[in-house]
């Protein structure tokens, strides 16, 4: 296309779902020394990440617009590998962790950002930590016990489910 990844994500994803904080500069090529596979890091605010989760809940639709094909969402959240030693997950799809016990889809971002999507309960849970952007910072936060874990986020999700059940 001759255009950068940030510009394309802005046009094809951020604008159609009305992301409020996204800038093309928030898409950064990952350092080949750090990343085992070439790719990009996408820095999103909690509310923009929640919008992305809502897009998935709505099968790729935002209002009257089909932003992402629903078939691709199903394909991307299909289990293609088995997760070993990554509790509570049984496997993964295209950069999605799959918790088959709760029928939820998770993604984890740099430094402990999490998004959980529960289609059955129409629930998206987003948490963010400001734990830095360098590998050594992540390890330091883990060492000091400040890095969120899957268990912490599972507990938040279970509390959200309980609150949802109480409200209904």
């Amino acid at each position: 296309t001759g255009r950068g990844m940030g510009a394309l994500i802005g046009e094809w994803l951020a604008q159609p779902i009305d992301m409020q904080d996204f800038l093309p500069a928030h898409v950064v090529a990952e350092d080949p020394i750090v990343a085992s596979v070439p790719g990009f890091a996408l820095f999103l605010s909690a509310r923009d990440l929640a919008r992305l989760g809502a897009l998935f809940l709505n099968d790729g639709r935002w209002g009257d617009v089909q932003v992402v094909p629903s078939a691709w969402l199903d394909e991307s959240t299909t289990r293609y590998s088995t997760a070993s030693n990554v509790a509570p997950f049984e496997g993964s799809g295209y950069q999605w962790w799959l918790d088959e016990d709760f029928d939820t889809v998770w993604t984890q971002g740099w430094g402990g950002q999490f998004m959980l999507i529960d289609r059955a309960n129409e629930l998206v849970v987003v948490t963010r930590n400001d734990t830095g952007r360098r590998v050594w910072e992540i390890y330091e936060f883990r060492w000091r016990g400040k890095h969120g874990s899957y268990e912490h986020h599972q507990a938040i999700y279970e509390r959200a489910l309980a609150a949802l059940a109480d409200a209904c």
Side-chain angles (χ1 to χ4, degrees), residues 142-154:
R142 284 184 184 161
W143 176 70
R144 294 179 186 265
K146 303 294 185 188
H147 186 278
S149 67
Y150 295 114
E151 293 81 14
H152 293 123
H153 294 82
Q154 183 71 29

Side-chain angles (χ1 to χ4, degrees), residues 78-79 81 88-92 97-104:
T78 296
R79 182 171 150 181
S81 67
F89 310 114
E90 287 77 34
S92 62
W97 289 108
L98 308 174
D99 182 350
E100 294 170 352
D101 293 336
F102 281 85
D103 194 25
T104 56

Side-chain angles (χ1 to χ4, degrees), residues 110-132:
W110 188 260
Q113 288 71 20
F114 289 85
M115 177 174 58
L116 177 149
I117 301 169
D118 178 346
R119 288 182 175 176
N121 290 297
E122 297 182 2
L123 179 65
V124 174
V125 177
V126 170
T127 59
R128 288 186 75 236
N129 299 319
D130 188 11
T131 56

Side-chain angles (χ1 to χ4, degrees), residues 1-164:
T1 64
R3 298 173 60 207
M5 185 64 72
L8 295 174
I9 290 174
E11 180 183 337
W12 296 342
L13 185 63
Q15 288 175 3
I17 68 171
D18 301 318
M19 285 187 179
Q20 294 174 282
D21 305 307
F22 177 83
L23 295 173
H26 295 159
V27 180
V28 179
E30 291 184 318
D31 186 340
I33 294 172
V34 175
S36 59
V37 177
F40 293 87
L42 178 59
F43 296 94
L44 294 176
S45 66
R47 64 182 170 186
D48 285 349
L49 189 55
R51 286 176 180 275
L52 188 60
L55 178 70
F56 273 62
L57 275 184
N58 292 311
D59 294 321
R61 294 189 66 77
W62 194 262
D64 296 332
V65 178
Q66 188 73 42
V67 178
V68 177
S70 61
W72 186 87
L73 295 177
D74 290 338
E75 180 182 322
S76 74
T77 56
T78 296
R79 182 171 150 181
Y80 294 104
S81 67
T82 300
S84 58
N85 300 324
V86 188
F89 310 114
E90 287 77 34
S92 62
Y94 299 165
Q95 298 294 312
W96 295 104
W97 289 108
L98 308 174
D99 182 350
E100 294 170 352
D101 293 336
F102 281 85
D103 194 25
T104 56
V105 177
W106 293 60
T107 190
Q108 178 186 9
W110 188 260
Q113 288 71 20
F114 289 85
M115 177 174 58
L116 177 149
I117 301 169
D118 178 346
R119 288 182 175 176
N121 290 297
E122 297 182 2
L123 179 65
V124 174
V125 177
V126 170
T127 59
R128 288 186 75 236
N129 299 319
D130 188 11
T131 56
R133 296 183 179 41
R134 294 177 193 86
V135 172
W136 68 267
E137 288 175 312
I138 290 174
Y139 291 112
E140 181 180 359
F141 274 87
R142 284 184 184 161
W143 176 70
R144 294 179 186 265
K146 303 294 185 188
H147 186 278
S149 67
Y150 295 114
E151 293 81 14
H152 293 123
H153 294 82
Q154 183 71 29
I156 291 169
Y157 166 63
E158 290 176 16
R159 288 180 182 165
L161 281 180
L164 193 62

